[in-house]
Amino acid sequence: MKYELVSGLETHVELSTNTKIFCSCTTAFGGEPNTHCCPVCIGLPGTLPKLNREVVKYAIRAGLATNCEISRISKMDRKNYCYPDLPKAYQISQYDMPLCKNGYIELSNGRKIRINRIHIEEDAGKLIHQRGDTYVDYNRGGVPLIEIVTEPDIRSIDEAKEYVEKLQLIMRYIGVSDCKMQEGSMRCDVNISVRPKGSSEFGTRTEIKNMNSITFMTKAMEYEFDRQVDLIESGGEVVQETLRYDDVTNTTSSMRGKEDANDYRYFRDPDLVTISVTDSEVEELEKTIPELPDEKLERYVEELGIPENDAALLVKYRKVAEFFEKASEGTANPRTAANFIIGQIFRTIENESAKEEFNISVSAEDLRELILMLDSKKIRMNLAKSTLDKMLETGKKVSELISEKDMGGLDEAATRKLCQEAVEKNPNAVADYKNGKEKAIKAMVGYVMKNSRGKADAVAAENIIKEIIK
């Protein structure tokens, strides 16, 4: 029998506000343990929370960017549970009146993953296990979160991966979070069940907690899907429970029984007032939503003529897309800027995180100046490429690396003279070319380009060299 995966995700996104959700403590990542907290965020008796207005604005922007309805009235609730990382023994969250609801994110296959709700809440502290002891760091406690809860619409691991990647990119584009999973500012709880292919009934679900890596999330889902299928086919039953994933053994294991809403004894928080959002406030926030990744990708392909794969690489990183738009503005062909970025510039960047930060020594304005020189035929592509390499290496501007005498092409007589020299100084390459090795001519063309400082026309030089050899 064939089985189908059914999954829904609960994604926690830490908001990039300067201060915490109910107090004025900093939200900065790191710091010495328990130095970013105060009586309010560690829940000392007699303290009163005060809701950070920016948190509400950030959450509304997240809702608008994911096609949600924005509730004009919502409230804060207490979610009661006892765990060491939560000193109050309850978390302030939202239950039956979330701030945003009924949204969706559309995947590349056209399927829409429905978003049931987006609500605001406070983060808990962090448990640190060392040599058999457990320590608690409350720095993260009270950092504002949005929890984005989907319907069980995900039908494959690829869909889950694409959904998380799209959600991450949207949140970064609208500036509500850096979504650095390695720092815990975005993490997913994965609800997963299996059912016979074609069935409309849901199976018993398990929940894999706190996935802070897309790679580990996909591996955990693969393992849990296979585990549930094996269990059912061997005559067993899936138990509703909360699981942890071990990336060393690539297995899931039980943490506790899976809670339902009534286990948390939700009730309205008596210390916080009702959240009221006006139509005009929503309209003003809607104006702040930038062009989103899917819209930008379509424009790059349809209007700028960027190949779709290249456009996807540019759009994948918000700062790269911003750099590209500045660098290509007013140039003859935006593809030139795209090629420089994806080719030479990306080669100097070590990893995905560095591409997201995109701290390079060349400004978009300097790259644009270099491209305009190409457009006006003051320099040729070879010189442009070698100059960009030097700019990336030294941080110098175009004007410091290209002088007036470097501009303009090489006339035919000077090109022919260099081609003759190239043939005379590369006898082995000449012999190889005559023996049928077509690529051997590149060494001689390289000689011409190097000695002309990139001013020669490479195609013309190759034709002249072929003529001389014959």
Side-chain angles (χ1 to χ4, degrees):
M1 181 183 293
K2 289 189 175 180
Y3 290 87
E4 177 181 56
L5 176 143
V6 177
S7 180
L9 300 184
E10 299 167 16
T11 306
H12 294 84
V13 175
E14 283 189 356
L15 302 179
S16 298
T17 55
N18 292 325
T19 57
K20 293 185 180 182
I21 186 169
F22 300 122
C23 67
S24 59
C25 290
T26 179
T27 57
F29 177 75
E32 288 297 313
N34 299 309
T35 57
H36 296 172
C37 42
C38 70
V40 174
C41 56
I42 61 174
L44 293 186
T47 57
L48 291 172
K50 183 177 180 180
L51 182 59
N52 183 341
R53 188 181 293 268
E54 287 300 301
V55 172
V56 176
K57 291 180 180 179
Y58 276 40
I60 292 173
R61 295 182 79 222
L64 292 170
T66 53
N67 308 291
C68 287
E69 301 167 14
I70 308 303
S71 301
R72 297 307 188 262
I73 298 293
S74 63
K75 63 182 175 67
M76 303 304 298
D77 300 285
R78 290 188 180 181
K79 179 181 181 181
N80 297 274
Y81 66 95
C82 188
Y83 203 64
D85 61 8
L86 199 66
K88 297 192 294 281
Y90 64 85
Q91 178 189 37
I92 303 178
S93 181
Q94 291 189 297
Y95 176 46
D96 56 335
M97 296 174 66
L99 193 57
C100 314
K101 57 189 178 183
N102 301 330
Y104 67 86
I105 287 179
E106 186 170 349
L107 303 182
S108 58
N109 61 11
R111 293 193 65 241
K112 291 180 179 178
I113 305 303
R114 291 172 297 159
I115 293 173
N116 175 284
R117 58 191 281 142
I118 299 177
H119 63 259
I120 55 177
E121 63 185 23
E122 61 180 335
D123 207 346
K126 182 180 180 182
L127 297 182
I128 301 164
H129 307 284
Q130 292 181 352
R131 297 181 295 277
D133 294 321
T134 298
Y135 302 89
V136 188
D137 179 5
Y138 288 123
N139 279 350
R140 197 173 69 184
V143 169
L145 292 177
I146 51 174
E147 183 173 350
I148 304 167
V149 182
T150 75
E151 299 288 358
D153 288 348
I154 294 168
R155 295 292 176 268
S156 72
I157 292 168
D158 285 341
E159 285 189 355
K161 181 174 183 286
E162 183 181 352
Y163 166 80
V164 174
E165 288 175 340
K166 283 202 162 190
L167 182 63
Q168 184 181 54
L169 195 55
I170 289 169
M171 295 301 109
R172 284 173 172 169
Y173 261 68
I174 64 175
V176 303
S177 176
D178 60 24
C179 290
K180 292 180 178 178
M181 297 188 81
Q182 70 276 16
E183 292 183 3
S185 57
M186 180 176 179
R187 49 195 190 272
C188 299
D189 297 339
V190 182
N191 291 284
I192 183 169
S193 65
V194 301
R195 65 184 179 188
K197 195 85 169 172
S199 171
S200 59
E201 298 292 322
F202 290 132
T204 302
R205 67 187 172 98
T206 58
E207 180 183 31
I208 311 169
K209 292 290 285 186
N210 291 327
M211 303 305 306
N212 63 354
S213 156
I214 293 176
T215 299
F216 290 155
M217 182 190 78
T218 58
K219 287 182 177 180
M221 290 181 73
E222 286 170 0
Y223 174 83
E224 183 60 16
F225 176 80
D226 290 341
R227 185 189 75 83
Q228 291 190 22
V229 169
D230 289 346
L231 191 60
I232 292 167
E233 290 194 332
S234 63
E237 290 185 358
V238 177
V239 176
Q240 181 172 314
E241 59 184 340
T242 299
L243 306 172
R244 65 168 61 87
Y245 172 70
D246 186 331
D247 57 58
V248 176
T249 61
N250 189 33
T251 59
T252 59
S253 59
S254 181
M255 286 175 65
R256 58 182 182 268
K258 180 74 182 83
E259 303 90 345
D260 289 314
N262 57 1
D263 295 320
Y264 292 120
R265 306 188 317 282
Y266 282 99
F267 64 87
R268 180 171 183 155
D269 191 296
D271 295 330
L272 291 160
V273 299
T274 298
I275 300 169
S276 175
V277 181
T278 65
D279 291 347
S280 60
E281 285 173 328
V282 174
E283 288 168 9
E284 285 302 309
L285 288 168
E286 197 161 14
K287 292 175 185 176
T288 69
I289 303 297
E291 182 181 42
L292 294 174
D294 283 353
E295 300 164 344
K296 195 177 289 289
L297 177 65
E298 184 177 356
R299 179 169 63 85
Y300 283 5
V301 173
E302 299 296 329
E303 296 181 20
L304 303 186
I306 309 294
E308 188 167 350
N309 287 343
D310 290 351
L313 286 173
L314 296 173
V315 170
K316 185 177 180 181
Y317 314 96
R318 180 176 60 86
K319 290 182 180 178
V320 172
E322 291 170 354
F323 182 95
F324 162 72
E325 297 203 7
K326 288 179 184 175
S328 62
E329 184 180 357
T331 61
N333 187 352
R335 288 183 65 174
T336 305
N339 290 339
F340 277 138
I341 293 167
I342 295 168
Q344 283 174 266
I345 294 177
F346 273 11
R347 280 200 300 271
T348 68
I349 300 175
E350 293 181 0
N351 51 45
E352 295 294 299
S353 179
K355 286 177 183 175
E356 180 58 39
E357 294 298 326
F358 207 60
N359 292 321
I360 61 172
S361 57
V362 176
S363 71
E365 291 75 16
D366 277 339
L367 181 58
R368 180 173 175 272
E369 185 181 348
L370 186 68
I371 294 169
L372 289 173
M373 285 183 177
L374 264 176
D375 290 346
S376 61
K377 302 192 185 305
K378 290 181 178 178
I379 61 173
R380 297 189 184 278
M381 182 58 78
N382 293 72
L383 180 56
K385 286 182 175 179
S386 62
T387 301
L388 179 55
D389 282 338
K390 290 175 185 173
M391 290 165 68
L392 289 165
E393 184 181 339
T394 65
K396 291 183 177 180
K397 295 181 176 294
V398 179
S399 56
E400 297 178 76
L401 296 170
I402 297 180
S403 63
E404 284 294 329
K405 68 178 184 178
D406 293 321
M407 298 183 193
L410 208 63
D411 62 33
E412 185 179 349
T415 302
R416 186 171 287 277
K417 181 180 178 182
L418 281 174
C419 289
Q420 186 65 50
E421 284 181 20
V423 170
E424 291 170 0
K425 291 183 180 294
N426 291 277
N428 292 336
V430 172
D432 287 343
Y433 179 75
K434 287 183 175 180
N435 289 328
K437 293 183 180 178
E438 289 286 334
K439 289 185 178 179
I441 204 165
K442 299 299 180 186
M444 291 175 277
V445 173
Y447 176 92
V448 174
M449 299 312 297
K450 179 181 177 182
N451 287 276
S452 68
R453 299 193 63 188
K455 294 171 69 175
D457 184 323
V459 175
E462 184 171 329
N463 290 333
I464 293 170
I465 289 168
K466 287 178 180 178
E467 180 188 319
I468 292 171
I469 291 174
K470 289 179 181 178

